Amino acid sequence: MNRIAPVVLTVLLAGCSTAPVSFQGVAPSELETAYQCAVAQLNLMDYTIEDGNLEAGFVRGRRQTSGVVQELITGAAHHDVLTASVFDNPATGNTHIRVVASRVADHDIGLIAGLDDDEEQGQNQLGPSDSGKADAQRLLTNCGVVASTGGSAPR
C-alpha cells in the first residue's frame, strides 16, 4: 500500500496541472491578416481583449467561466485566458499562429470576502479548462491554420 500511494498522488497531481497549454500551426495568410483574424475570433467567442499589439504580434483575451453561485461560495471568479501570438518563420517564410490557453481565479470577490477589509488576494494560475482548450483550437481552425500541433505546455 505504501508504494501505491505515491503513484496515485502523482497521477492525481498530473491531472491538476497549472501549466498553460499551447497549440500552433501555419496560417494561410500574411502576418497582419492572421493577427486580425485572431482578434476577430476572440471577439466572436465572447472574450474581452485585455492586451494586444500588432507590432509585437500578440493579443490576449479573457472570458469569465464561473457563475454567481460559484463565486459567492468560493470567493473567486474563474476566467479562461487565450493568448494568440502571430509570427513569421524566417527559415520557411511561413506565418504561424500560436495560441496559449490558461485559466485564472480572481480571489476576494465572494460574499465572505466582501465583508472584510483585507486587501485583495490576487489571482491563482490554474490549468486550462476543456472549453479554453477547445476555444484555442477553434481560433486556429477558423483562421485557416494548417498543420496544427498542440496540447503541450509552452516552452
Side-chain angles (χ1 to χ4, degrees):
M1 184 67 163
N2 288 338
R3 287 184 268 194
I4 295 173
V7 172
V8 170
L9 181 60
T10 302
V11 170
L12 288 174
L13 290 176
C16 299
S17 173
T18 61
V21 176
S22 178
F23 302 89
Q24 75 172 345
V26 177
S29 56
E30 54 95 30
L31 193 119
E32 187 172 347
T33 303
Y35 177 83
Q36 295 300 334
C37 181
V39 170
Q41 288 305 308
L42 287 171
N43 279 309
L44 288 169
M45 292 186 290
D46 294 327
Y47 281 77
T48 299
I49 304 298
E50 289 187 318
D51 198 4
N53 184 305
L54 173 59
E55 287 182 23
F58 83 98
V59 61
R60 181 176 48 248
R62 173 188 289 240
R63 182 178 67 195
Q64 185 167 336
T65 58
S66 58
V68 174
V69 173
Q70 180 184 7
E71 291 175 24
L72 290 174
I73 293 171
T74 66
H78 291 86
H79 296 86
D80 283 336
V81 178
L82 295 184
T83 304
S85 301
V86 180
F87 57 96
D88 288 328
N89 182 340
T92 64
N94 292 329
T95 297
H96 292 258
I97 301 176
R98 176 178 41 239
V99 183
V100 177
S102 61
R103 189 168 48 131
V104 295
D106 292 323
H107 292 282
D108 198 30
I109 64 162
L111 181 62
I112 296 171
L115 297 177
D116 64 29
D117 290 331
D118 291 343
E119 292 194 28
E120 291 189 27
Q121 298 173 8
Q123 290 184 345
N124 282 350
Q125 182 76 28
L126 306 171
S129 68
D130 290 340
S131 65
K133 290 186 272 188
D135 288 345
Q137 292 174 323
R138 186 175 313 122
L139 186 150
L140 291 173
T141 300
N142 291 344
C143 287
V145 168
V146 294
S148 178
T149 60
S152 62
R155 296 177 189 193

